[in-house]
Amino acid sequence: MGTVFLSTTTFNDVFKSSFMDKVTSFSIVDTILAMGVAFALGLFIFLIDKKTFSGVMYSASFGVSLIAMALVTTFIILAITSNVVLSLGMVGALSIVRFRTAVKEPLDISFLFWSISVGIVVGAGLIPLAVIGTILIGVTMLVFVNKKSTDNPYILVISCVNDTAEKAALTSVKDSVKKHVVKSKTVSKNGIELTVEIRLKDMTTEFVNKISDLNGVENVVLVSYNGDYMS
């Protein structure tokens, strides 16, 4: 008869080999350095986003999310670059994540991708590339986003009671603006409503008051394309 050897599994055997190797090969200095650089660059992105914001109320939560996104992405890339098998599992796990928050401003999408890219580059260890690229993108944002245009398009909505008032209003518009194009005309029993795209001559809106004083003109509204009202 053969001899049967019974082997017992100890606690150390469970954590032998791969798991303990990853713990001992983990570099705290590299992690702190990468996370510190990611935080600094994320803070820089946050300041650029706040500086280039052109609205009325700035969303502080969105700015903080830019910093957090750079840190989280760096954290994930550091884990992925340490193990090929882990990277495949991480990609599969992240592929099931769905974000349903609507981004209203196209420029916000640029800042989101910017923050994610910084996290990826820093996590990959390419810190000089991350720093130089972030500075160049930041300067570009400051130069072009804050550039004020003097030829912004506006929409002028005029409510008239009859054809005579309509002609008088269009004549006044022609004499007061640089360029105008009638986009739509709505006729109902209550009157006529004109929608006119215009370009201002000297960025003044005093002509709107003159048009509203014309006989037969009931209401005049000047709207910029970004939703800001002027009167």
Side-chain angles (χ1 to χ4, degrees):
M1 296 179 63
T3 303
V4 178
F5 295 94
L6 298 177
S7 60
T8 58
T9 302
T10 64
F11 181 78
N12 292 329
D13 293 333
V14 176
F15 293 96
K16 186 186 292 185
S17 185
S18 61
F19 182 80
M20 295 303 300
D21 290 343
K22 292 183 179 63
V23 174
T24 55
S25 63
F26 174 74
S27 176
I28 298 179
V29 176
D30 293 344
T31 302
I32 294 177
L33 176 62
M35 297 297 284
V37 173
F39 175 78
L41 297 180
L43 182 61
F44 179 79
I45 297 174
F46 165 73
L47 295 177
I48 295 296
D49 176 58
K50 191 173 183 180
K51 185 70 175 179
T52 57
F53 181 71
S54 59
V56 178
M57 298 184 64
Y58 177 76
S59 176
S61 61
F62 178 78
V64 174
S65 67
L66 295 175
I67 302 177
M69 194 168 296
L71 291 172
V72 172
T73 307
T74 301
F75 174 71
I76 295 175
I77 296 301
L78 286 174
I80 290 178
T81 53
S82 64
N83 191 297
V84 177
V85 177
L86 178 61
S87 65
L88 297 177
M90 190 74 71
V91 170
L94 294 177
S95 64
I96 66 175
V97 178
R98 296 292 183 270
F99 300 96
R100 299 186 180 276
T101 302
V103 180
K104 298 180 180 180
E105 294 293 334
L107 192 61
D108 291 344
I109 301 178
S110 301
F111 281 99
L112 290 174
F113 275 104
W114 184 9
S115 183
I116 294 174
S117 300
V118 165
I120 294 175
V121 176
V122 173
L126 304 176
I127 294 180
L129 175 62
V131 174
I132 296 174
T134 299
I135 294 176
L136 291 178
I137 295 175
V139 172
T140 303
M141 289 288 189
L142 289 175
V143 171
F144 288 96
V145 176
N146 287 337
K147 185 177 180 180
K148 302 297 182 182
S149 176
T150 58
D151 195 26
N152 296 324
Y154 292 88
I155 291 294
L156 187 66
V157 182
I158 307 173
S159 299
C160 307
V161 296
N162 50 39
D163 294 340
T164 303
E166 175 191 354
K167 294 178 181 179
L170 289 177
T171 300
S172 180
V173 170
K174 181 179 179 181
D175 297 336
S176 303
V177 301
K178 182 189 302 184
K179 181 180 179 182
H180 75 284
V181 177
V182 177
K183 304 297 291 186
S184 68
K185 176 179 178 180
T186 304
V187 180
S188 64
K189 294 181 179 179
N190 297 325
I192 303 171
E193 182 178 274
L194 295 173
T195 303
V196 186
E197 179 182 344
I198 64 173
R199 302 275 180 166
L200 301 181
K201 281 184 178 180
D202 49 6
M203 297 304 294
T204 180
T205 60
E206 295 180 357
F207 70 95
V208 178
N209 300 333
K210 297 179 180 179
I211 296 175
S212 64
D213 292 335
L214 296 175
N215 293 330
V217 176
E218 294 183 335
N219 188 31
V220 182
V221 179
L222 182 64
V223 188
S224 67
Y225 274 177
N226 60 3
D228 296 331
Y229 286 84
M230 300 180 62
S231 60

Coordinates of all heavy atoms in Angstrom, one line a residue, residues 85-159:
V85 N -2.0 41.9 -15.7 CA -3.3 41.2 -15.5 C -4.3 42.1 -14.8 O -5.5 42.2 -15.1 CB -3.1 39.9 -14.6 CG1 -4.4 39.2 -14.3 CG2 -2.2 39.0 -15.4
L86 N -3.8 42.9 -13.8 CA -4.6 43.9 -13.1 C -5.2 44.9 -14.0 O -6.3 45.4 -13.9 CB -3.8 44.5 -12.0 CG -4.6 45.6 -11.2 CD1 -5.8 45.0 -10.5 CD2 -3.6 46.2 -10.2
S87 N -4.3 45.3 -15.0 CA -4.8 46.3 -15.9 C -6.0 45.9 -16.8 O -6.9 46.6 -17.0 CB -3.6 46.7 -16.9 OG -3.2 45.6 -17.7
L88 N -5.9 44.6 -17.2 CA -7.1 44.1 -18.0 C -8.3 44.0 -17.1 O -9.4 44.3 -17.6 CB -6.7 42.7 -18.5 CG -5.5 42.6 -19.5 CD1 -5.2 41.1 -19.8 CD2 -5.8 43.4 -20.7
G89 N -8.2 43.6 -15.9 CA -9.4 43.5 -15.0 C -9.9 44.9 -14.7 O -11.1 45.1 -14.6
M90 N -9.0 45.9 -14.6 CA -9.4 47.3 -14.3 C -10.2 47.9 -15.4 O -11.2 48.6 -15.3 CB -8.2 48.1 -13.9 CG -8.5 49.5 -13.4 SD -9.1 49.5 -11.7 CE -7.6 49.1 -10.9
V91 N -9.7 47.6 -16.6 CA -10.4 48.1 -17.8 C -11.8 47.5 -17.9 O -12.7 48.2 -18.3 CB -9.5 47.8 -19.1 CG1 -10.4 48.1 -20.4 CG2 -8.3 48.6 -19.1
G92 N -11.9 46.2 -17.7 CA -13.2 45.6 -17.7 C -14.1 46.2 -16.6 O -15.3 46.4 -16.9
A93 N -13.6 46.5 -15.5 CA -14.4 47.0 -14.4 C -14.9 48.4 -14.7 O -16.0 48.8 -14.5 CB -13.7 47.0 -13.1
L94 N -14.0 49.3 -15.3 CA -14.3 50.6 -15.6 C -15.3 50.7 -16.8 O -15.9 51.7 -16.9 CB -13.0 51.4 -15.8 CG -12.1 51.6 -14.7 CD1 -10.9 52.4 -15.1 CD2 -12.8 52.4 -13.5
S95 N -15.3 49.7 -17.6 CA -16.1 49.8 -18.8 C -17.6 49.7 -18.5 O -18.4 50.1 -19.3 CB -15.8 48.6 -19.8 OG -16.0 47.4 -19.2
I96 N -17.9 49.2 -17.3 CA -19.4 49.1 -16.9 C -19.8 50.4 -16.2 O -21.0 50.5 -15.9 CB -19.6 47.9 -16.0 CG1 -18.9 48.1 -14.7 CG2 -19.2 46.6 -16.7 CD1 -19.2 47.0 -13.7
V97 N -18.9 51.3 -16.0 CA -19.3 52.6 -15.3 C -20.0 53.5 -16.3 O -19.5 53.7 -17.4 CB -18.1 53.2 -14.6 CG1 -18.5 54.6 -14.0 CG2 -17.5 52.3 -13.6
R98 N -21.1 54.1 -15.9 CA -21.8 55.0 -16.8 C -22.1 56.3 -16.0 O -22.6 56.3 -14.9 CB -23.2 54.4 -17.3 CG -23.0 53.2 -18.1 CD -22.4 53.5 -19.5 NE -22.3 52.4 -20.4 CZ -21.3 51.6 -20.4 NH1 -20.3 51.8 -19.7 NH2 -21.3 50.5 -21.3
F99 N -21.7 57.4 -16.7 CA -22.0 58.7 -16.1 C -23.1 59.4 -16.8 O -23.0 59.6 -18.0 CB -20.7 59.6 -16.1 CG -19.5 59.0 -15.4 CD1 -18.6 58.2 -16.1 CD2 -19.4 59.2 -14.0 CE1 -17.5 57.7 -15.4 CE2 -18.3 58.6 -13.4 CZ -17.4 57.9 -14.0
R100 N -24.1 59.8 -16.1 CA -25.3 60.4 -16.7 C -25.5 61.9 -16.5 O -26.5 62.5 -16.8 CB -26.6 59.7 -16.3 CG -26.6 58.2 -16.6 CD -27.9 57.5 -16.3 NE -27.9 56.1 -16.6 CZ -28.1 55.6 -17.8 NH1 -28.4 56.5 -18.8 NH2 -28.1 54.3 -18.0
T101 N -24.4 62.5 -15.9 CA -24.5 64.0 -15.6 C -24.3 64.7 -16.9 O -23.3 64.5 -17.6 CB -23.4 64.4 -14.6 OG1 -23.7 63.6 -13.4 CG2 -23.5 65.8 -14.3
A102 N -25.2 65.6 -17.3 CA -25.1 66.3 -18.5 C -24.1 67.5 -18.4 O -24.2 68.2 -17.4 CB -26.5 66.8 -18.9
V103 N -23.2 67.6 -19.3 CA -22.3 68.7 -19.4 C -22.8 69.8 -20.3 O -22.9 69.5 -21.5 CB -20.9 68.2 -19.8 CG1 -19.9 69.4 -19.8 CG2 -20.4 67.2 -18.9
K104 N -23.2 70.9 -19.8 CA -23.9 71.9 -20.6 C -22.9 72.7 -21.5 O -23.2 73.1 -22.6 CB -24.7 72.8 -19.7 CG -25.8 72.1 -19.0 CD -26.6 73.1 -18.1 CE -27.7 72.3 -17.3 NZ -28.5 73.3 -16.5
E105 N -21.8 73.1 -20.9 CA -20.8 73.9 -21.6 C -19.8 73.1 -22.3 O -19.2 72.2 -21.7 CB -20.1 74.9 -20.6 CG -21.0 75.9 -20.0 CD -21.6 76.9 -21.0 OE1 -20.9 77.1 -22.1 OE2 -22.6 77.5 -20.8
P106 N -19.5 73.3 -23.6 CA -18.5 72.5 -24.3 C -17.1 72.7 -23.7 O -16.3 71.8 -23.7 CB -18.6 73.1 -25.7 CG -19.9 73.7 -25.9 CD -20.3 74.2 -24.5
L107 N -16.9 73.9 -23.1 CA -15.5 74.1 -22.5 C -15.3 73.3 -21.3 O -14.2 72.9 -21.0 CB -15.4 75.6 -22.2 CG -14.0 76.1 -21.8 CD1 -13.1 75.9 -23.0 CD2 -14.0 77.6 -21.4
D108 N -16.4 72.9 -20.6 CA -16.2 72.1 -19.4 C -15.7 70.7 -19.8 O -15.0 70.0 -19.0 CB -17.6 71.9 -18.7 CG -18.0 73.2 -18.0 OD1 -17.2 74.1 -17.9 OD2 -19.2 73.4 -17.7
I109 N -16.1 70.2 -21.0 CA -15.6 68.9 -21.5 C -14.1 68.9 -21.7 O -13.4 68.0 -21.4 CB -16.4 68.5 -22.8 CG1 -17.9 68.4 -22.6 CG2 -15.8 67.2 -23.3 CD1 -18.6 68.1 -23.8
S110 N -13.6 70.1 -22.2 CA -12.2 70.2 -22.3 C -11.4 70.1 -21.0 O -10.4 69.5 -20.9 CB -11.9 71.6 -23.0 OG -12.5 71.6 -24.3
F111 N -12.0 70.8 -20.0 CA -11.4 70.7 -18.7 C -11.4 69.3 -18.1 O -10.5 68.9 -17.4 CB -12.0 71.7 -17.7 CG -11.6 73.1 -17.9 CD1 -12.3 74.0 -18.7 CD2 -10.4 73.6 -17.4 CE1 -11.9 75.3 -18.9 CE2 -9.9 74.9 -17.6 CZ -10.7 75.8 -18.3
L112 N -12.5 68.6 -18.3 CA -12.6 67.2 -17.8 C -11.6 66.3 -18.5 O -10.9 65.6 -17.8 CB -14.0 66.7 -18.1 CG -15.2 67.3 -17.3 CD1 -16.5 66.8 -17.7 CD2 -15.0 66.9 -15.8
F113 N -11.4 66.4 -19.8 CA -10.4 65.6 -20.5 C -9.0 66.0 -20.1 O -8.1 65.2 -20.0 CB -10.6 65.7 -22.0 CG -11.6 64.7 -22.6 CD1 -12.9 65.2 -22.9 CD2 -11.3 63.4 -22.7 CE1 -13.8 64.3 -23.4 CE2 -12.3 62.5 -23.2 CZ -13.5 63.0 -23.6
W114 N -8.8 67.3 -19.9 CA -7.5 67.8 -19.4 C -7.1 67.2 -18.1 O -6.0 66.7 -17.9 CB -7.6 69.3 -19.4 CG -6.3 70.0 -19.0 CD1 -5.1 69.4 -18.9 CD2 -6.2 71.4 -18.7 NE1 -4.2 70.4 -18.6 CE2 -4.8 71.6 -18.5 CE3 -7.0 72.5 -18.6 CZ2 -4.3 72.8 -18.1 CZ3 -6.5 73.7 -18.3 CH2 -5.2 73.9 -18.0
S115 N -8.1 67.2 -17.2 CA -7.8 66.6 -15.8 C -7.5 65.1 -15.9 O -6.6 64.6 -15.2 CB -9.0 66.9 -14.9 OG -8.7 66.5 -13.6
I116 N -8.3 64.4 -16.7 CA -8.1 63.0 -16.8 C -6.7 62.7 -17.5 O -6.0 61.8 -17.1 CB -9.2 62.4 -17.7 CG1 -10.6 62.5 -16.9 CG2 -8.9 60.9 -18.0 CD1 -11.8 62.0 -17.7
S117 N -6.4 63.5 -18.5 CA -5.1 63.3 -19.2 C -3.9 63.5 -18.3 O -2.9 62.8 -18.3 CB -5.0 64.2 -20.4 OG -6.1 64.0 -21.3
V118 N -4.0 64.5 -17.4 CA -3.0 64.8 -16.4 C -2.8 63.6 -15.5 O -1.7 63.2 -15.2 CB -3.3 66.1 -15.6 CG1 -2.4 66.1 -14.4 CG2 -3.1 67.3 -16.5
G119 N -3.9 63.0 -15.1 CA -3.8 61.8 -14.2 C -3.2 60.7 -14.9 O -2.3 59.9 -14.3
I120 N -3.5 60.5 -16.2 CA -2.9 59.3 -16.9 C -1.4 59.5 -17.1 O -0.6 58.6 -16.9 CB -3.6 59.2 -18.3 CG1 -5.1 58.8 -18.1 CG2 -2.9 58.2 -19.2 CD1 -5.9 58.7 -19.4
V121 N -1.0 60.7 -17.5 CA 0.4 61.0 -17.8 C 1.2 60.9 -16.5 O 2.3 60.4 -16.5 CB 0.6 62.4 -18.5 CG1 2.0 62.7 -18.7 CG2 -0.2 62.4 -19.8
V122 N 0.7 61.5 -15.4 CA 1.5 61.5 -14.1 C 1.5 60.1 -13.6 O 2.6 59.6 -13.2 CB 0.8 62.4 -13.1 CG1 1.4 62.2 -11.7 CG2 0.9 63.9 -13.5
G123 N 0.4 59.3 -13.7 CA 0.5 57.9 -13.3 C 1.4 57.1 -14.1 O 2.0 56.1 -13.5
A124 N 1.6 57.4 -15.3 CA 2.6 56.6 -16.2 C 4.0 57.0 -15.9 O 4.9 56.4 -16.5 CB 2.2 56.9 -17.6
G125 N 4.2 58.0 -15.0 CA 5.6 58.4 -14.7 C 6.2 59.5 -15.5 O 7.3 59.9 -15.4
L126 N 5.4 60.0 -16.5 CA 5.9 61.1 -17.4 C 5.6 62.5 -16.8 O 4.8 63.3 -17.4 CB 5.3 60.9 -18.8 CG 5.5 59.6 -19.4 CD1 4.7 59.5 -20.7 CD2 6.9 59.3 -19.6
I127 N 6.2 62.8 -15.6 CA 5.9 64.0 -14.9 C 6.3 65.2 -15.7 O 5.6 66.2 -15.8 CB 6.6 64.0 -13.5 CG1 5.9 62.9 -12.7 CG2 6.4 65.3 -12.8 CD1 6.5 62.7 -11.3
P128 N 7.5 65.3 -16.3 CA 7.9 66.5 -17.1 C 6.9 66.8 -18.2 O 6.5 67.9 -18.5 CB 9.3 66.2 -17.7 CG 9.8 65.2 -16.7 CD 8.6 64.4 -16.3
L129 N 6.4 65.7 -18.9 CA 5.4 65.9 -20.0 C 4.1 66.5 -19.4 O 3.5 67.4 -20.0 CB 5.2 64.6 -20.7 CG 4.0 64.6 -21.7 CD1 4.4 65.5 -22.8 CD2 3.8 63.2 -22.2
A130 N 3.7 66.0 -18.2 CA 2.5 66.5 -17.6 C 2.6 67.9 -17.2 O 1.7 68.7 -17.4 CB 2.2 65.6 -16.4
V131 N 3.7 68.3 -16.7 CA 3.9 69.7 -16.2 C 4.0 70.7 -17.4 O 3.3 71.7 -17.5 CB 5.2 69.9 -15.4 CG1 5.5 71.3 -15.1 CG2 5.1 69.0 -14.1
I132 N 4.8 70.3 -18.4 CA 4.9 71.2 -19.6 C 3.6 71.3 -20.4 O 3.2 72.4 -20.8 CB 6.1 70.7 -20.5 CG1 7.4 70.8 -19.8 CG2 6.1 71.5 -21.8 CD1 8.6 70.1 -20.6
G133 N 3.0 70.1 -20.6 CA 1.7 70.2 -21.3 C 0.6 70.9 -20.5 O -0.2 71.7 -21.2
T134 N 0.6 70.8 -19.2 CA -0.4 71.6 -18.5 C -0.2 73.1 -18.5 O -1.2 73.8 -18.7 CB -0.4 71.1 -17.0 OG1 -0.7 69.7 -16.9 CG2 -1.4 71.9 -16.2
I135 N 1.0 73.5 -18.5 CA 1.3 74.9 -18.5 C 1.0 75.5 -19.9 O 0.3 76.5 -20.0 CB 2.8 75.2 -18.2 CG1 3.1 74.8 -16.8 CG2 3.2 76.6 -18.6 CD1 4.6 74.9 -16.4
L136 N 1.3 74.7 -21.0 CA 1.0 75.2 -22.3 C -0.5 75.3 -22.6 O -1.0 76.3 -23.1 CB 1.6 74.3 -23.4 CG 3.2 74.3 -23.5 CD1 3.7 73.3 -24.5 CD2 3.6 75.7 -23.8
I137 N -1.2 74.3 -22.1 CA -2.7 74.3 -22.2 C -3.3 75.4 -21.4 O -4.2 76.1 -21.9 CB -3.3 72.9 -21.8 CG1 -2.8 71.8 -22.8 CG2 -4.8 73.0 -21.8 CD1 -3.3 70.4 -22.3
G138 N -2.8 75.6 -20.2 CA -3.3 76.7 -19.4 C -3.1 78.1 -20.0 O -4.0 78.9 -20.0
V139 N -1.9 78.3 -20.6 CA -1.7 79.6 -21.2 C -2.6 79.8 -22.4 O -3.2 80.8 -22.7 CB -0.2 79.7 -21.7 CG1 0.0 80.9 -22.5 CG2 0.7 79.7 -20.4
T140 N -2.8 78.7 -23.2 CA -3.7 78.7 -24.4 C -5.1 79.1 -23.9 O -5.8 79.9 -24.6 CB -3.7 77.4 -25.1 OG1 -2.3 77.1 -25.5 CG2 -4.6 77.4 -26.3
M141 N -5.6 78.4 -22.9 CA -6.9 78.7 -22.4 C -7.1 80.2 -22.0 O -8.1 80.9 -22.3 CB -7.2 77.8 -21.2 CG -7.5 76.4 -21.5 SD -9.0 76.1 -22.4 CE -9.1 74.3 -22.4
L142 N -6.1 80.7 -21.2 CA -6.2 82.1 -20.8 C -6.2 83.1 -22.0 O -6.9 84.1 -21.9 CB -5.0 82.4 -19.9 CG -5.0 81.8 -18.5 CD1 -3.7 82.1 -17.7 CD2 -6.2 82.2 -17.7
V143 N -5.4 82.8 -23.0 CA -5.3 83.7 -24.1 C -6.6 83.7 -25.0 O -7.1 84.8 -25.3 CB -4.1 83.3 -25.0 CG1 -4.1 84.1 -26.3 CG2 -2.8 83.6 -24.2
F144 N -7.1 82.5 -25.3 CA -8.2 82.5 -26.2 C -9.6 82.5 -25.6 O -10.5 83.1 -26.1 CB -8.1 81.2 -27.1 CG -7.0 81.2 -28.1 CD1 -5.8 80.6 -27.8 CD2 -7.2 81.8 -29.3 CE1 -4.7 80.7 -28.7 CE2 -6.1 81.8 -30.2 CZ -4.9 81.3 -29.9
V145 N -9.7 82.0 -24.4 CA -11.0 82.0 -23.7 C -11.4 83.4 -23.2 O -12.5 83.8 -23.3 CB -11.1 80.9 -22.6 CG1 -12.4 81.0 -21.8 CG2 -10.9 79.5 -23.1
N146 N -10.4 84.1 -22.7 CA -10.6 85.4 -22.1 C -10.6 86.5 -23.2 O -10.7 87.7 -22.9 CB -9.6 85.7 -21.0 CG -9.9 85.0 -19.8 OD1 -11.0 84.5 -19.5 ND2 -8.8 84.8 -19.0
K147 N -10.4 86.1 -24.4 CA -10.3 87.1 -25.5 C -11.7 87.6 -25.8 O -12.6 86.8 -26.1 CB -9.7 86.5 -26.8 CG -9.6 87.5 -27.9 CD -8.9 86.8 -29.1 CE -8.7 87.8 -30.3 NZ -8.1 87.1 -31.4
K148 N -11.9 88.9 -25.6 CA -13.2 89.5 -25.8 C -13.5 89.8 -27.3 O -12.6 90.5 -27.9 CB -13.4 90.8 -25.0 CG -13.2 90.5 -23.5 CD -14.2 89.6 -22.9 CE -14.0 89.4 -21.4 NZ -15.0 88.5 -20.8
S149 N -14.6 89.4 -27.8 CA -15.0 89.7 -29.2 C -15.9 90.9 -29.2 O -16.8 91.1 -28.4 CB -15.6 88.5 -29.8 OG -16.1 88.8 -31.1
T150 N -15.7 91.8 -30.2 CA -16.6 92.9 -30.3 C -17.6 92.7 -31.4 O -18.3 93.7 -31.8 CB -15.7 94.2 -30.7 OG1 -15.0 93.9 -31.9 CG2 -14.7 94.5 -29.6
D151 N -17.7 91.5 -31.9 CA -18.6 91.2 -33.0 C -19.5 90.1 -32.7 O -19.7 89.1 -33.5 CB -17.9 91.0 -34.3 CG -18.8 91.0 -35.5 OD1 -19.8 91.7 -35.5 OD2 -18.5 90.4 -36.6
N152 N -20.1 90.1 -31.5 CA -20.9 89.0 -31.0 C -22.3 89.1 -31.7 O -22.8 90.2 -31.8 CB -21.1 89.1 -29.5 CG -19.8 88.8 -28.8 OD1 -18.9 88.1 -29.2 ND2 -19.5 89.5 -27.7
P153 N -22.9 87.9 -32.0 CA -24.2 88.0 -32.6 C -25.3 88.1 -31.5 O -25.1 87.6 -30.4 CB -24.3 86.6 -33.3 CG -23.4 85.7 -32.5 CD -22.3 86.6 -32.0
Y154 N -26.4 88.7 -31.8 CA -27.5 88.9 -30.9 C -28.8 88.6 -31.7 O -28.9 88.7 -32.9 CB -27.6 90.3 -30.3 CG -26.4 90.6 -29.4 CD1 -25.2 91.1 -29.9 CD2 -26.5 90.4 -28.0 CE1 -24.2 91.4 -29.0 CE2 -25.5 90.7 -27.2 CZ -24.3 91.2 -27.7 OH -23.3 91.5 -26.8
I155 N -29.8 88.2 -30.9 CA -31.1 88.0 -31.5 C -32.1 89.1 -31.0 O -32.2 89.4 -29.7 CB -31.7 86.6 -31.1 CG1 -30.9 85.5 -31.8 CG2 -33.2 86.5 -31.4 CD1 -31.1 85.5 -33.3
L156 N -32.7 89.8 -31.9 CA -33.7 90.9 -31.5 C -35.1 90.4 -31.8 O -35.4 90.0 -33.0 CB -33.4 92.1 -32.4 CG -34.2 93.4 -32.0 CD1 -33.8 93.9 -30.6 CD2 -33.9 94.5 -33.0
V157 N -35.9 90.3 -30.8 CA -37.3 89.9 -31.0 C -38.2 91.1 -30.8 O -38.2 91.8 -29.8 CB -37.7 88.9 -29.9 CG1 -39.1 88.4 -30.1 CG2 -36.7 87.7 -30.0
I158 N -39.0 91.4 -31.9 CA -39.8 92.6 -31.9 C -41.3 92.2 -32.1 O -41.6 91.4 -33.0 CB -39.4 93.5 -33.1 CG1 -37.9 93.8 -33.0 CG2 -40.2 94.8 -33.1 CD1 -37.4 94.6 -34.2
S159 N -42.2 92.7 -31.3 CA -43.6 92.4 -31.4 C -44.3 93.7 -31.9 O -44.2 94.7 -31.3 CB -44.2 92.0 -30.0 OG -43.6 90.9 -29.6

